[in-house]
Amino acid sequence: LPALQNEVAYFSSVLIGRDQPGVLVRAAHHGAPSAAWLATLDALMGLDGDATLRYDDARRSSSRRMLIIDDRLMAVRLSGATGAITSGEWLREWLLADKPVAEIRRLLLSPATHAPTGFVLAGRVVCQCFNVTEDMITAALADITGDARERTAALQRQLKCGSNCGSCDPELRQLVERVEWVAPLAPLLPLEKQAAA
């Protein structure tokens, strides 16, 4: 991967998934990557064989590669402008869910901006090690009391986020500071009972 890192302005690779482990690679550059760079990435991801589905839009400098084995997504590569990438964010969740692709095969190479009907996106993943989303963290923090350190420790015990590689720790700290614990409201008494009290 060092050869790939040196040719683009931004490059990251992190482990993702728990039940279906994998690697999420993200890269950005000032312009379209070279064909050789994409070919190297495809080879590393196993997307250079005959079983790979391919889509290329030379006018928009975007492309998609997908490897399907036994009706399951095994690898996906999206390249192009921001819209070409964000239109396929749901594919990562489909891959991690290990769902069959039969029902979505017609959408795999299309630039659809939404997930298939009935497939609910889990939300933005913060902890790649344990596939913990921002929505899950926010919901848990609403019930966790204490100072920032105590809330973070409780969050790690409850969801395991931030307890493995540590790459999500800075974002967890920001969420702990941003999401306040809200005390549950006491039930309101009917007016006549309030007057009597």
Side-chain angles (χ1 to χ4, degrees), residues 85-161:
I85 307 302
T86 57
S87 70
E89 282 294 316
W90 63 272
L91 289 165
R92 175 175 40 88
E93 292 190 30
W94 197 277
L95 185 145
L96 289 174
D98 197 29
K99 294 173 65 72
V101 298
E103 63 185 280
I104 61 159
R105 191 172 287 272
R106 62 183 169 69
L107 299 174
L108 291 177
L109 298 179
S110 95
T113 57
H114 57 279
T117 304
F119 182 64
V120 179
L121 293 174
R124 188 176 65 81
V125 175
V126 173
C127 175
Q128 301 291 343
C129 296
F130 296 103
N131 202 30
V132 181
T133 67
E134 182 175 357
D135 293 343
M136 293 165 66
I137 293 167
T138 302
L141 283 171
D143 296 326
I144 298 174
T145 61
D147 63 23
R149 192 170 43 83
E150 293 167 336
R151 294 179 81 208
T152 301
L155 197 59
Q156 290 173 330
R157 284 192 304 274
Q158 186 175 331
L159 300 178
K160 294 190 173 22
C161 52

Side-chain angles (χ1 to χ4, degrees), residues 16-52:
I16 59 171
R18 181 173 30 176
D19 302 323
Q20 181 78 3
V23 177
L24 175 66
V25 175
R26 292 186 187 271
H29 199 54
H30 310 294
S34 69
W37 190 91
L38 286 172
T40 302
L41 178 63
D42 288 346
L44 286 170
M45 295 177 63
L47 289 165
D48 55 348
D50 294 337
T52 302

